[in-house]
Amino acid sequence: SQQGEEDPQALSIQEGENATMNCSYKTSINNLQWYRQNSGRGLVHLILIRSNEREKHSGRLRVTLDTSKKSSSLLITASRAADTASYFCATDAPDRGSTLGRLYFGRGTQLTVWP
Amino acid sequence: DGGITQSPKYLFRKEGQNVTLSCEQNLNHDAMYWYRQDPGQGLRLIYYSQIVNDFQKGDIAEGYSVSREKKESFPLTVTSAQKNPTAFYLCASSSGFSGRARNEQFFGPGTRLTVL
């Protein structure tokens, strides 16, 4: 079963609006990461937040992490048409012994930003 | 240019044939991964390798095989035993292990495999 699950599955907004995507996970983590995937391409790492951090910023991206609720959110401010892509959260699983190093990806949120 | 490459970009296979997907990285990363992506299903881990000459099964290893003879190369063979191989295959690499260092993964551009 997948560790992370994104919500919503699809999000459609106008340029200039903010986009918020959520991720829930099941077990303890060392860190949580967000990735972006343009259609038919590989994933690109956006931002990593450690379990002892609550909020992190990178440009127009803001990520929050609530370990008590096992959830994270990704906020893209002032969205652009070029932000149209799928966004995935990924978690590690430090308590899973031999699976050290692997990430668990959710199914992703498909974001469409209309010009 | 540092990065991770996959070839070919598109691959067509007849039923009953084995095919090998190439993955090469020049990032000097220890760990490499193979994922399968189907529409609406996200990424599922096929195999991963944390060091040369060692690899572990992921969640959907049946019908696939890998080798890790060199640090920079991690080829994936899709065998005839894989019943539904049509999918988008992604290779990734990372430098660190969970808890010890950032385990950010770097992805290749993917190979789209279609079984005819």
Side-chain angles (χ1 to χ4, degrees), chain A residues 2 30-31 33 35 37 40-43 45 48 50 88 92-94 98-107, chain B residues 9 33 35 37 40-43 45 48 50 58-59 88 90 96-99 102-105 107-109 112:
Chain A
Q2 289 171 319
N30 283 323
N31 61 66
Q33 304 177 41
Y35 288 80
Q37 183 183 33
R41 304 287 185 91
L43 278 70
H45 181 264
L48 178 150
R50 300 190 186 282
F88 295 87
D92 61 1
S98 62
T99 60
L100 286 176
R102 67 166 290 181
L103 294 177
Y104 296 83
F105 287 84
R107 296 175 190 271
Chain B
K9 187 173 177 66
Y33 311 82
Y35 296 93
Q37 188 176 33
Q41 293 224 28
L43 275 68
L45 184 66
Y48 64 110
Q50 295 175 336
D59 301 321
F88 189 51
L90 287 162
F97 300 149
S98 177
R102 285 172 59 107
N103 57 340
E104 167 190 347
Q105 292 187 8
F107 283 80
R112 188 165 298 279

Side-chain angles (χ1 to χ4, degrees), chain B residues 3-70:
Chain B
I4 181 165
T5 59
Q6 292 183 244
S7 62
K9 187 173 177 66
Y10 298 96
L11 186 57
F12 298 90
R13 187 194 98 174
K14 293 182 180 179
E15 281 193 33
Q17 286 182 335
N18 292 356
V19 288
T20 297
L21 283 59
S22 168
C23 178
E24 304 276 333
Q25 55 98 0
N26 61 4
L27 301 167
N28 199 33
H29 285 168
D30 286 314
M32 296 186 75
Y33 311 82
W34 273 106
Y35 296 93
R36 170 180 171 140
Q37 188 176 33
D38 295 280
Q41 293 224 28
L43 275 68
R44 292 186 289 170
L45 184 66
I46 304 172
Y47 268 98
Y48 64 110
S49 168
Q50 295 175 336
I51 199 167
V52 174
N53 293 322
D54 185 54
F55 47 82
Q56 288 82 40
K57 292 182 179 180
D59 301 321
I60 55 165
E62 185 175 351
Y64 300 97
S65 65
V66 293
S67 63
R68 187 84 188 278
E69 297 175 0
K70 297 185 296 182

Side-chain angles (χ1 to χ4, degrees), chain A residues 11-12 19 21 25 37 42-43 47 49 52 55 58 73 84 102 106 109 111 115:
Chain A
L11 180 60
S12 187
M21 289 158 269
Y25 58 93
Q37 183 183 33
L43 278 70
I47 195 165
I49 186 166
N52 60 354
E55 188 171 312
S58 176
S73 67
T84 294
R102 67 166 290 181
T109 292
L111 173 66

